[in-house]
Amino acid sequence: MLFFRGKAVWETSPRGPQPYGHPLAESWLELEGPVDAALRIHRRQHPEEHQSLYLFQGEQVWAYAGGQLRPGFPRRIGDEFPGVPGGLDAAVECHPEECGGETILFFKGDQVFSFDLALRVTKQHTWPWLGPCDAALRWLERYYCLQGTSFQRFDPLTGKVPPGYPRDLRDYFIPCPGRGHSHRNASWGDAGDRCSGLPFQAVISDDTGRIYAFRGGLLFRLDSWRDGWHAWPQGHSWPGLQGEVDAAFAWDGRTYLIQGSQVSIYLSGQGHRQVEGYPKALQDELGVPVADAAFTCPGSAELYVIAGDRMRRVDLTQMPRHAGELLQLPHDGVDGAMCTADGVFLFRGDSYYQYRSVDELLGARLPAPHKSIAIDLFRCPQ
């Protein structure tokens, strides 16, 4: 992630941010700065634009690919993006999953210009509730407007801001001395510290390969280091979800979140949207009274529900659903479970256990060798 200010640029990496910025001209010889707005475009159908970096200054735009200025640039912003004015404040690419098509959002004051990359048509919107944006970014399928040292999350289709914003930029995207995990959100306690060793109450791998871990009303992303630095309130991804999650699994584009004897279902796609009429009784929906953990494997409609040291199969294609016979596990209890292309993972305490398949899990007499969640999954210091 690149951050621009004045004639300098900073870069973040898994090791954290650079302590000092470097001059723009070291990376982009033709441009001295300052940069008004910046964005990357990731278009699979247009190789010449794939991973292109666009830098906006005044009435002009520069486009770079592989560190080299693309032929024909710089050029007027209106020539490259018809209907988009110069003097921009911010810009961000909006992916088809969230915007319904390949789109770029340009910000100027309280005006937003939505540019359709396929049709090359611009639509203008006014989002006064969002306010001017100094910069905008997409972070793990969510969109943010940066304003000074604060930021707001917004819906890229309507500009609406959910409750809980604005928040302080220095506590999330740019770790600063004296801030971050050990200094912010004290009410979260150790639950918000990925390295605390506290057990996770549920873990899920969804249909897109995203992995979430739930603990104390918070969630972490395990499949991306970018969000491994932060805990987020679970309502950040699943609007309206309150209380602790006991088990979770994904199937057929839906996420099932189990809380006690109730289950809620959220549709995946353009964010997570709760299915009307939920939560419902777990027994009525899945044919089981309680769940400590649950998982489905990629491409399978078989759900495995764990309670204590036993596991049951549920065929999700059958209605009404009924749980199969009790199957013995080599564990006397787990906190969470998930299944990916790499096998079945069982989580207990500060450790996890990996099996190559469900058959290997059921055939094991003793637990597999345990591994550390904090060290192996969250890269915490030993």
Side-chain angles (χ1 to χ4, degrees), residues 151-204:
F151 71 94
Q152 300 199 86
R153 175 183 157 197
F154 67 92
D155 185 317
L157 295 177
T158 66
K160 293 297 180 64
V161 178
Y165 292 88
R167 297 180 183 175
D168 199 303
L169 178 68
R170 297 164 293 180
D171 289 333
Y172 290 85
F173 298 110
I174 308 177
C176 294
R179 307 188 73 94
H181 276 301
S182 59
H183 298 85
R184 67 172 174 86
N185 298 315
S187 63
W188 292 355
D190 289 340
D193 180 359
R194 77 188 197 283
C195 299
S196 67
L198 291 179
F200 288 98
Q201 293 149 342
V203 182
I204 180 176

Side-chain angles (χ1 to χ4, degrees), residues 21-223:
H22 63 268
L24 289 169
E26 288 186 7
S27 299
W28 305 287
L29 298 177
E30 301 81 5
L31 192 64
E32 291 187 0
V35 169
D36 298 330
L39 67 89
R40 283 194 180 100
I41 292 183
H42 311 77
R43 300 189 72 191
R44 296 187 183 95
Q45 297 178 353
H46 297 265
E48 74 280 2
E49 293 182 2
H50 179 59
Q51 282 286 6
S52 286
L53 174 66
Y54 287 80
L55 302 178
F56 299 83
Q57 186 182 71
E59 300 293 325
Q60 293 188 304
V61 57
W62 283 254
Y64 292 85
Q68 301 297 315
L69 185 66
R70 284 176 47 194
F73 288 88
R75 58 186 307 192
R76 288 185 65 255
I77 294 173
D79 293 337
E80 180 68 9
F81 304 102
V84 177
L88 296 168
D89 297 324
V92 62
E93 180 188 21
C94 191
H95 289 212
E97 305 93 280
E98 294 98 39
C99 279
E102 293 182 311
T103 307
I104 300 176
L105 299 178
F106 294 95
F107 297 82
K108 184 173 182 177
D110 62 358
Q111 300 295 307
V112 180
F113 300 85
S114 176
F115 181 80
D116 188 310
L117 283 166
L119 301 178
R120 299 192 63 76
V121 172
T122 299
K123 295 181 180 179
Q124 186 173 347
H125 311 278
T126 301
W127 295 344
W129 50 82
L130 183 60
C133 299
D134 298 326
L137 61 88
R138 177 182 186 266
W139 174 278
L140 298 174
E141 300 85 45
R142 297 291 183 266
Y143 293 81
Y144 299 92
C145 165
L146 279 56
Q147 302 163 324
T149 58
S150 298
F151 71 94
Q152 300 199 86
R153 175 183 157 197
F154 67 92
D155 185 317
L157 295 177
T158 66
K160 293 297 180 64
V161 178
Y165 292 88
R167 297 180 183 175
D168 199 303
L169 178 68
R170 297 164 293 180
D171 289 333
Y172 290 85
F173 298 110
I174 308 177
C176 294
R179 307 188 73 94
H181 276 301
S182 59
H183 298 85
R184 67 172 174 86
N185 298 315
S187 63
W188 292 355
D190 289 340
D193 180 359
R194 77 188 197 283
C195 299
S196 67
L198 291 179
F200 288 98
Q201 293 149 342
V203 182
I204 180 176
S205 175
D206 69 14
D207 295 337
T208 64
R210 305 184 188 106
I211 300 176
Y212 300 92
F214 296 84
R215 180 170 66 196
L218 305 173
L219 65 86
F220 296 79
R221 279 284 293 271
L222 271 71
D223 59 291

